[in-house]
Amino acid sequence: MKRIFIVLLIVGMMVGCSNVYSEEEGYRMAVINHGFPVPKNASEIRPEICTTEIAKSAKYKLKDVGGEQGEPPAHYLAEIEDWGWTELVDQRVGNVHYYKKEGKIMSLVFQKHIFDVFEMSDEVKM
């Protein structure tokens, strides 16, 4: 009986420690571009393979970052603009957002618990 209680306690603690998007946690620099913010408590996972259109990529796991339908948190999008990035609204396709700053173009792709950050190659003109 004591062992069952200990196992349940450990499992309960592990579930309570999972990273969930929270604007209070703050932001840090993305691993692929130090001028682009990502939520501080997002965990980096294996990124997508780069192509001729994508110079660098990073994939992050963060519970509920993309909401039920893959929609990004408004606070995070505002934070990106606070860091000096301008959204290319006319280029947005669904949950794919593009931002530009100092000649660099970044792309964000949101899913329910995962988001990708791509630095587009210089060949891509938007």
Side-chain angles (χ1 to χ4, degrees):
M1 186 67 168
K2 189 175 184 181
R3 288 183 184 170
I4 292 172
F5 176 73
I6 292 172
V7 169
L8 290 175
L9 179 65
I10 291 172
V11 170
M13 288 174 36
M14 288 173 50
V15 170
C17 293
S18 63
N19 290 343
V20 178
Y21 173 78
S22 170
E23 60 187 74
E24 289 85 26
E25 290 292 325
Y27 299 88
R28 61 183 166 94
M29 298 177 285
V31 294
I32 62 169
N33 185 308
H34 291 210
F36 197 83
V38 295
K40 190 179 284 185
N41 58 347
S43 302
E44 187 178 356
I45 58 178
R46 183 182 158 152
E48 301 295 324
I49 296 174
C50 294
T51 65
T52 56
E53 295 177 343
I54 299 170
K56 300 176 190 174
S57 71
K59 183 180 282 280
Y60 296 92
K61 180 178 178 182
L62 183 59
K63 189 173 180 174
D64 295 333
V65 73
E68 289 297 319
Q69 303 297 320
E71 66 277 1
H75 185 271
Y76 179 33
L77 300 181
E79 185 72 18
I80 293 169
E81 292 191 5
D82 287 348
W83 283 42
W85 293 86
T86 302
E87 183 172 7
L88 303 173
V89 178
D90 57 328
Q91 300 296 321
R92 187 185 312 162
V93 179
N95 295 329
V96 181
H97 295 253
Y98 292 93
Y99 291 87
K100 188 172 188 174
K101 177 180 172 183
E102 299 173 359
K104 290 288 182 190
I105 297 175
M106 301 294 288
S107 172
L108 285 169
V109 181
F110 291 91
Q111 298 173 24
K112 186 172 181 178
H113 300 302
I114 295 173
F115 66 101
D116 293 283
V117 180
F118 301 108
E119 183 175 301
M120 308 308 286
S121 70
D122 292 335
E123 298 174 12
V124 176
K125 303 294 180 204
M126 296 186 150

